[in-house]
Coordinates of all heavy atoms in Angstrom, one line a residue:
M1 N 104.7 -36.2 112.1 CA 104.4 -35.2 113.1 C 103.7 -34.0 112.6 O 103.0 -33.3 113.3 CB 105.6 -34.9 113.9 CG 106.1 -36.0 114.8 SD 107.4 -35.4 115.9 CE 106.4 -35.0 117.4
Q2 N 104.0 -33.7 111.3 CA 103.4 -32.5 110.7 C 101.9 -32.5 110.6 O 101.3 -31.5 110.4 CB 104.1 -32.2 109.3 CG 105.5 -31.9 109.5 CD 106.2 -31.7 108.2 OE1 106.0 -32.5 107.3 NE2 107.0 -30.7 108.0
D3 N 101.3 -33.7 110.7 CA 99.9 -33.8 110.7 C 99.3 -33.7 112.1 O 98.1 -33.8 112.3 CB 99.4 -35.1 110.0 CG 99.8 -36.4 110.8 OD1 100.5 -36.3 111.8 OD2 99.4 -37.5 110.4
G4 N 100.1 -33.6 113.1 CA 99.6 -33.4 114.5 C 99.6 -34.6 115.3 O 99.4 -34.6 116.5
S5 N 100.0 -35.8 114.7 CA 100.0 -37.0 115.5 C 101.5 -37.5 115.6 O 102.2 -37.4 114.7 CB 99.1 -38.1 115.0 OG 99.5 -38.5 113.7
C6 N 101.8 -38.1 116.8 CA 103.1 -38.5 117.0 C 103.4 -39.9 116.4 O 102.6 -40.9 116.7 CB 103.4 -38.6 118.6 SG 105.0 -39.2 119.0
P7 N 104.5 -40.1 115.7 CA 104.7 -41.4 115.1 C 105.2 -42.5 116.1 O 105.1 -43.7 115.9 CB 105.8 -41.2 114.1 CG 106.5 -40.0 114.6 CD 105.4 -39.2 115.2
R8 N 105.6 -42.0 117.3 CA 106.1 -42.9 118.3 C 105.0 -43.4 119.2 O 104.9 -44.6 119.4 CB 107.1 -42.1 119.2 CG 107.8 -43.0 120.2 CD 108.8 -42.2 121.0 NE 109.4 -42.9 122.1 CZ 110.1 -42.4 123.0 NH1 110.3 -41.1 123.0 NH2 110.5 -43.1 124.0
C9 N 104.1 -42.5 119.7 CA 103.1 -43.0 120.6 C 101.7 -42.9 120.1 O 100.8 -43.4 120.6 CB 103.2 -42.2 121.9 SG 102.6 -40.5 121.8
G10 N 101.5 -42.2 118.9 CA 100.2 -42.1 118.3 C 99.3 -41.0 118.8 O 98.2 -40.8 118.3
K11 N 99.7 -40.4 119.9 CA 98.8 -39.3 120.5 C 98.9 -38.0 119.7 O 99.9 -37.8 119.0 CB 99.2 -39.1 121.9 CG 98.9 -40.3 122.8 CD 99.1 -40.1 124.2 CE 98.7 -41.3 125.0 NZ 99.0 -41.2 126.4
R12 N 97.9 -37.2 119.8 CA 97.8 -36.0 119.1 C 98.1 -34.8 120.0 O 97.4 -33.9 120.2 CB 96.4 -35.8 118.5 CG 96.1 -36.9 117.4 CD 94.9 -36.5 116.6 NE 95.0 -35.3 115.9 CZ 95.7 -35.0 114.8 NH1 96.4 -36.0 114.2 NH2 95.7 -33.8 114.2
E13 N 99.3 -34.9 120.6 CA 99.8 -33.9 121.6 C 101.1 -33.2 121.0 O 102.0 -32.9 121.8 CB 100.1 -34.6 122.9 CG 98.9 -35.1 123.6 CD 97.8 -34.0 123.9 OE1 98.2 -32.9 124.2 OE2 96.6 -34.4 123.9
V14 N 101.1 -33.0 119.7 CA 102.3 -32.4 119.1 C 102.2 -30.9 119.1 O 101.2 -30.3 118.8 CB 102.5 -32.9 117.6 CG1 103.6 -32.3 116.9 CG2 102.6 -34.4 117.6
R15 N 103.3 -30.3 119.5 CA 103.4 -28.8 119.6 C 104.5 -28.4 118.6 O 105.5 -29.2 118.4 CB 103.8 -28.3 121.0 CG 102.8 -28.8 122.1 CD 101.4 -28.2 121.8 NE 100.5 -28.4 122.9 CZ 99.7 -29.4 123.0 NH1 99.5 -30.3 122.0 NH2 98.9 -29.5 124.1
R16 N 104.4 -27.2 118.0 CA 105.3 -26.7 117.0 C 105.9 -25.4 117.4 O 105.3 -24.6 118.0 CB 104.5 -26.5 115.7 CG 105.2 -25.9 114.6 CD 104.1 -25.7 113.4 NE 104.8 -25.3 112.2 CZ 105.2 -24.1 111.9 NH1 105.0 -23.1 112.8 NH2 105.7 -23.8 110.8
Q17 N 107.2 -25.3 117.1 CA 107.9 -24.0 117.4 C 108.9 -23.7 116.3 O 109.7 -24.6 115.9 CB 108.6 -24.0 118.7 CG 109.3 -22.7 119.0 CD 110.0 -22.7 120.4 OE1 109.9 -23.7 121.2 NE2 110.6 -21.7 120.7
E18 N 108.9 -22.5 115.8 CA 110.0 -22.0 114.9 C 111.0 -21.3 115.8 O 110.7 -20.5 116.6 CB 109.4 -21.0 113.9 CG 108.5 -21.6 112.9 CD 108.0 -20.6 111.9 OE1 108.8 -19.7 111.5 OE2 106.9 -20.7 111.5
G19 N 112.3 -21.8 115.7 CA 113.3 -21.2 116.5 C 113.6 -22.0 117.7 O 113.3 -23.2 117.7
G20 N 114.3 -21.4 118.6 CA 114.8 -22.2 119.8 C 114.6 -21.4 121.1 O 113.8 -20.5 121.2
P21 N 115.4 -21.7 122.1 CA 115.4 -21.0 123.4 C 115.6 -19.5 123.3 O 116.5 -19.1 122.5 CB 116.4 -21.7 124.2 CG 117.1 -22.6 123.3 CD 116.5 -22.7 122.0
M22 N 114.9 -18.8 124.0 CA 115.1 -17.3 124.1 C 115.0 -16.7 122.7 O 115.7 -15.8 122.3 CB 116.4 -16.9 124.8 CG 116.5 -17.4 126.2 SD 117.9 -16.8 127.1 CE 119.3 -17.5 126.3
N23 N 114.1 -17.2 121.9 CA 113.8 -16.7 120.5 C 114.9 -16.8 119.6 O 114.9 -16.2 118.5 CB 113.2 -15.3 120.6 CG 111.9 -15.2 121.3 OD1 111.1 -16.2 121.2 ND2 111.7 -14.2 122.1
A24 N 116.0 -17.6 119.9 CA 117.0 -17.8 118.9 C 116.5 -18.7 117.9 O 116.1 -19.8 118.1 CB 118.3 -18.4 119.6
R25 N 116.6 -18.3 116.6 CA 116.1 -19.1 115.5 C 117.1 -20.2 115.2 O 118.3 -20.0 115.1 CB 115.8 -18.3 114.3 CG 114.7 -17.4 114.5 CD 114.2 -16.8 113.2 NE 113.0 -16.1 113.5 CZ 112.3 -15.4 112.6 NH1 112.8 -15.3 111.4 NH2 111.2 -14.8 112.9
R26 N 116.6 -21.4 115.1 CA 117.4 -22.6 114.7 C 117.5 -22.5 113.2 O 116.5 -22.5 112.5 CB 116.7 -23.9 115.2 CG 117.3 -25.1 114.6 CD 118.4 -25.7 115.5 NE 118.8 -27.0 115.1 CZ 119.7 -27.3 114.2 NH1 120.4 -26.3 113.6 NH2 120.0 -28.5 113.9
Q27 N 118.8 -22.5 112.7 CA 119.0 -22.4 111.3 C 120.1 -23.3 110.8 O 121.0 -23.6 111.6 CB 119.3 -20.9 110.9 CG 118.2 -20.0 111.2 CD 118.5 -18.5 110.8 OE1 119.7 -18.2 110.7 NE2 117.5 -17.7 110.7
I28 N 120.1 -23.6 109.6 CA 121.2 -24.4 108.9 C 121.8 -23.5 107.9 O 121.1 -23.0 107.0 CB 120.6 -25.7 108.3 CG1 120.1 -26.6 109.4 CG2 121.7 -26.4 107.5 CD1 119.4 -27.8 108.8
P29 N 123.1 -23.2 108.0 CA 123.7 -22.3 107.0 C 123.6 -22.9 105.6 O 123.9 -24.1 105.4 CB 125.1 -22.2 107.5 CG 125.1 -22.7 108.8 CD 124.0 -23.6 109.0
L30 N 123.3 -22.1 104.6 CA 123.3 -22.5 103.2 C 124.5 -21.8 102.4 O 125.2 -22.4 101.7 CB 122.0 -22.2 102.5 CG 120.8 -22.9 103.0 CD1 119.5 -22.4 102.3 CD2 121.0 -24.4 102.8
T31 N 124.5 -20.5 102.6 CA 125.6 -19.7 102.1 C 126.0 -18.7 103.2 O 125.5 -18.7 104.3 CB 125.2 -18.8 100.9 OG1 124.2 -17.9 101.3 CG2 124.6 -19.7 99.8
M32 N 126.9 -17.8 102.9 CA 127.4 -16.8 103.9 C 126.2 -15.9 104.3 O 126.1 -15.4 105.4 CB 128.5 -16.0 103.4 CG 129.1 -15.1 104.4 SD 130.6 -14.2 103.8 CE 131.8 -15.5 103.9
W33 N 125.2 -15.7 103.4 CA 124.1 -14.8 103.6 C 122.8 -15.4 103.7 O 121.8 -14.7 104.0 CB 124.1 -13.7 102.5 CG 125.4 -13.0 102.4 CD1 125.7 -11.9 103.2 CD2 126.5 -13.2 101.6 NE1 127.0 -11.5 102.8 CE2 127.4 -12.3 101.8 CE3 126.7 -14.2 100.6 CZ2 128.7 -12.2 101.2 CZ3 127.9 -14.1 99.9 CH2 128.9 -13.1 100.2
A34 N 122.7 -16.7 103.6 CA 121.4 -17.4 103.6 C 121.4 -18.6 104.5 O 122.4 -19.3 104.7 CB 121.0 -17.8 102.2
A35 N 120.3 -18.8 105.2 CA 120.1 -20.0 106.1 C 118.7 -20.6 105.9 O 117.8 -19.9 105.6 CB 120.4 -19.6 107.5
A36 N 118.6 -21.9 106.2 CA 117.3 -22.5 106.2 C 116.8 -22.5 107.6 O 117.4 -22.9 108.6 CB 117.5 -24.0 105.8
R37 N 115.5 -22.1 107.8 CA 114.9 -22.0 109.1 C 114.3 -23.4 109.4 O 113.7 -24.0 108.6 CB 113.7 -21.0 109.1 CG 113.1 -20.9 110.5 CD 111.9 -20.0 110.5 NE 112.2 -18.7 110.0 CZ 111.2 -17.8 109.7 NH1 110.0 -18.1 109.9 NH2 111.6 -16.6 109.3
V38 N 114.6 -23.8 110.6 CA 114.2 -25.2 111.1 C 113.0 -25.0 112.0 O 113.0 -24.2 112.9 CB 115.4 -25.9 111.8 CG1 114.9 -27.2 112.4 CG2 116.6 -26.1 110.9
V39 N 112.0 -25.9 111.8 CA 110.8 -25.9 112.7 C 110.9 -27.2 113.5 O 111.2 -28.3 113.0 CB 109.5 -25.9 111.8 CG1 108.3 -26.1 112.7 CG2 109.5 -24.7 111.0
T40 N 110.7 -27.1 114.8 CA 110.8 -28.2 115.7 C 109.4 -28.6 116.2 O 108.5 -27.8 116.5 CB 111.6 -27.8 117.0 OG1 112.9 -27.4 116.6 CG2 111.7 -29.0 117.9
H41 N 109.1 -29.9 116.1 CA 107.9 -30.5 116.6 C 108.2 -31.4 117.8 O 109.1 -32.1 117.8 CB 107.2 -31.3 115.6 CG 106.6 -30.5 114.4 ND1 106.0 -31.1 113.4 CD2 106.6 -29.2 114.1 CE1 105.6 -30.2 112.5 NE2 106.0 -29.0 113.0
C42 N 107.4 -31.2 118.9 CA 107.6 -32.0 120.1 C 106.3 -32.6 120.6 O 105.3 -31.9 120.7 CB 108.2 -31.1 121.2 SG 108.4 -32.0 122.8
C43 N 106.3 -33.9 120.8 CA 105.1 -34.6 121.4 C 105.2 -34.4 122.9 O 106.2 -34.9 123.6 CB 105.1 -36.0 121.1 SG 103.7 -36.9 121.8
T44 N 104.2 -33.8 123.5 CA 104.2 -33.5 125.0 C 103.7 -34.8 125.7 O 103.8 -34.8 126.9 CB 103.4 -32.3 125.3 OG1 102.0 -32.5 124.9 CG2 104.0 -31.0 124.7
A45 N 103.3 -35.8 125.0 CA 102.9 -37.0 125.7 C 104.1 -37.9 126.0 O 104.2 -38.5 127.0 CB 101.8 -37.8 124.9
C46 N 105.0 -38.1 125.0 CA 106.1 -39.0 125.1 C 107.5 -38.4 125.0 O 108.5 -39.0 125.3 CB 106.0 -40.1 124.1 SG 106.3 -39.7 122.4
G47 N 107.6 -37.1 124.5 CA 108.8 -36.4 124.4 C 109.6 -36.6 123.1 O 110.7 -36.1 122.9
H48 N 108.9 -37.3 122.2 CA 109.6 -37.4 120.8 C 109.7 -36.1 120.2 O 108.7 -35.3 120.2 CB 108.7 -38.4 120.0 CG 109.3 -38.6 118.6 ND1 110.4 -39.4 118.4 CD2 108.9 -38.2 117.4 CE1 110.7 -39.4 117.1 NE2 109.8 -38.7 116.5
V49 N 110.9 -35.8 119.5 CA 111.1 -34.5 118.9 C 111.6 -34.8 117.5 O 112.4 -35.7 117.2 CB 112.2 -33.7 119.7 CG1 112.6 -32.5 118.9 CG2 111.7 -33.4 121.1
E50 N 111.1 -34.0 116.5 CA 111.6 -34.0 115.1 C 111.7 -32.5 114.7 O 111.1 -31.6 115.1 CB 110.6 -34.7 114.2 CG 110.4 -36.2 114.5 CD 109.5 -36.9 113.5 OE1 109.0 -36.2 112.6 OE2 109.3 -38.1 113.7
E51 N 112.7 -32.4 113.7 CA 112.9 -31.0 113.1 C 112.7 -31.1 111.6 O 113.0 -32.1 111.0 CB 114.3 -30.6 113.4 CG 114.6 -30.3 114.9 CD 115.9 -29.7 115.2 OE1 116.9 -30.2 114.6 OE2 116.0 -28.7 116.0
F52 N 112.2 -30.0 111.1 CA 111.8 -30.0 109.7 C 112.2 -28.6 109.0 O 112.3 -27.6 109.7 CB 110.3 -30.1 109.5 CG 109.7 -31.3 110.0 CD1 109.2 -31.4 111.3 CD2 109.6 -32.5 109.2 CE1 108.6 -32.6 111.8 CE2 109.0 -33.6 109.7 CZ 108.6 -33.7 111.0
I53 N 112.5 -28.7 107.8 CA 112.6 -27.5 106.9 C 111.3 -27.5 106.1 O 111.2 -28.4 105.3 CB 113.9 -27.4 106.1 CG1 115.1 -27.4 107.0 CG2 113.9 -26.3 105.2 CD1 116.4 -27.6 106.3
E54 N 110.5 -26.5 106.3 CA 109.2 -26.6 105.6 C 109.1 -25.8 104.2 O 108.3 -26.1 103.4 CB 108.1 -26.0 106.5 CG 107.9 -26.8 107.7 CD 106.8 -26.2 108.7 OE1 106.7 -25.0 108.7 OE2 106.2 -27.0 109.4
D55 N 110.1 -24.9 104.0 CA 110.1 -24.1 102.8 C 110.6 -24.9 101.7 O 111.8 -25.3 101.7 CB 110.9 -22.9 103.1 CG 111.0 -22.0 101.8 OD1 110.0 -21.8 101.1 OD2 112.1 -21.4 101.6
R56 N 109.8 -25.2 100.6 CA 110.2 -26.0 99.5 C 111.4 -25.4 98.7 O 112.2 -26.1 98.2 CB 109.0 -26.2 98.6 CG 107.9 -27.0 99.2 CD 108.2 -28.4 99.2 NE 107.1 -29.2 99.7 CZ 107.2 -30.4 100.1 NH1 108.4 -31.1 100.0 NH2 106.2 -31.1 100.6
A57 N 111.4 -24.1 98.6 CA 112.5 -23.4 97.9 C 113.8 -23.7 98.6 O 114.9 -23.9 97.9 CB 112.2 -21.9 97.7
T58 N 113.8 -23.6 99.9 CA 115.0 -23.9 100.7 C 115.5 -25.3 100.5 O 116.7 -25.6 100.4 CB 114.8 -23.6 102.2 OG1 114.4 -22.2 102.3 CG2 116.0 -23.8 103.0
L59 N 114.5 -26.3 100.5 CA 114.9 -27.7 100.3 C 115.5 -27.9 98.9 O 116.5 -28.7 98.8 CB 113.6 -28.6 100.4 CG 113.0 -28.7 101.8 CD1 111.7 -29.4 101.7 CD2 114.0 -29.4 102.7
A60 N 115.1 -27.2 97.9 CA 115.7 -27.3 96.6 C 117.1 -26.7 96.6 O 118.0 -27.3 96.0 CB 114.8 -26.5 95.5
K61 N 117.4 -25.7 97.3 CA 118.7 -25.1 97.5 C 119.6 -26.1 98.1 O 120.8 -26.3 97.8 CB 118.7 -23.8 98.2 CG 118.1 -22.7 97.4 CD 118.1 -21.4 98.2 CE 117.3 -20.3 97.5 NZ 117.1 -19.1 98.3
I62 N 119.1 -26.8 99.2 CA 119.9 -27.8 99.9 C 120.3 -29.0 98.9 O 121.4 -29.4 98.9 CB 119.2 -28.3 101.1 CG1 119.2 -27.2 102.2 CG2 119.9 -29.5 101.7 CD1 118.3 -27.5 103.4
A63 N 119.3 -29.4 98.1 CA 119.5 -30.5 97.2 C 120.6 -30.1 96.2 O 121.4 -31.0 95.8 CB 118.2 -30.8 96.5
E64 N 120.7 -28.9 95.8 CA 121.7 -28.4 94.8 C 123.1 -28.3 95.5 O 124.0 -28.6 94.8 CB 121.3 -27.0 94.3 CG 120.1 -26.9 93.4 CD 119.8 -25.5 93.1 OE1 120.5 -24.5 93.5 OE2 118.7 -25.3 92.5
R65 N 123.2 -28.0 96.7 CA 124.4 -27.6 97.3 C 125.1 -28.8 98.2 O 126.3 -28.8 98.3 CB 124.3 -26.4 98.2 CG 124.0 -25.1 97.4 CD 123.9 -24.0 98.3 NE 123.8 -22.7 97.6 CZ 122.7 -22.2 97.1 NH1 121.5 -22.8 97.3 NH2 122.7 -21.0 96.5
W66 N 124.2 -29.6 98.7 CA 124.7 -30.7 99.6 C 125.0 -32.0 98.9 O 124.3 -32.3 97.9 CB 123.8 -30.9 100.8 CG 123.6 -29.8 101.8 CD1 124.0 -28.5 101.6 CD2 123.1 -29.9 103.1 NE1 123.7 -27.7 102.7 CE2 123.2 -28.6 103.6 CE3 122.6 -30.9 103.8 CZ2 122.7 -28.3 104.9 CZ3 122.1 -30.6 105.1 CH2 122.2 -29.3 105.6
K67 N 125.9 -32.7 99.4 CA 126.2 -34.0 98.8 C 125.1 -35.0 99.2 O 124.7 -35.0 100.4 CB 127.6 -34.5 99.3 CG 128.7 -33.8 98.8 CD 130.0 -34.3 99.3 CE 131.2 -33.5 98.8 NZ 132.5 -34.0 99.3
R68 N 124.8 -35.9 98.3 CA 123.8 -37.0 98.6 C 124.5 -38.1 99.4 O 125.6 -38.4 99.1 CB 123.3 -37.6 97.3 CG 122.2 -38.6 97.5 CD 121.8 -39.3 96.2 NE 121.3 -38.3 95.2 CZ 120.0 -38.0 95.1 NH1 119.1 -38.6 95.9 NH2 119.6 -37.1 94.2
V69 N 123.8 -38.6 100.4 CA 124.3 -39.7 101.2 C 124.1 -41.0 100.3 O 123.1 -41.3 99.8 CB 123.5 -39.8 102.5 CG1 124.0 -41.0 103.3 CG2 123.7 -38.6 103.3
T70 N 125.2 -41.7 100.3 CA 125.2 -43.0 99.5 C 125.4 -44.2 100.3 O 125.9 -44.1 101.4 CB 126.2 -42.9 98.3 OG1 127.5 -42.7 98.9 CG2 125.9 -41.9 97.3

């Protein structure tokens, strides 16, 4: 979806938003003082939704702190 096309329906009707309703930012806690900002993509043709963390440094922190799924 990050390229603008929907993996579900193939249309290029993807919209992007940082945060959530009423400007509340969607975040995933990392520490008591830090959080990962989540970006939401929505296809307005079929309703498919995906969420991403785009910041590479934040992804590295998550890899260090979170357990790997096995």
Side-chain angles (χ1 to χ4, degrees):
M1 287 188 94
Q2 291 176 318
D3 67 356
S5 62
C6 178
R8 183 176 175 197
C9 71
K11 295 189 177 173
R12 298 194 54 81
E13 296 298 329
V14 176
R15 303 297 189 262
R16 177 184 188 279
Q17 180 178 359
E18 292 183 34
M22 298 188 298
N23 295 324
R25 291 196 171 174
R26 170 90 168 89
Q27 299 180 341
I28 296 173
L30 296 175
T31 68
M32 187 175 282
W33 300 277
R37 183 184 305 168
V38 176
V39 176
T40 304
H41 290 181
C42 176
C43 176
T44 58
C46 72
H48 182 72
V49 174
E50 292 183 4
E51 293 184 315
F52 300 91
I53 297 171
E54 296 179 328
D55 180 39
R56 296 281 181 195
T58 300
L59 291 173
K61 289 177 186 175
I62 290 172
E64 291 172 6
R65 292 177 171 91
W66 291 19
K67 292 181 183 178
R68 183 185 301 267
V69 176
T70 56

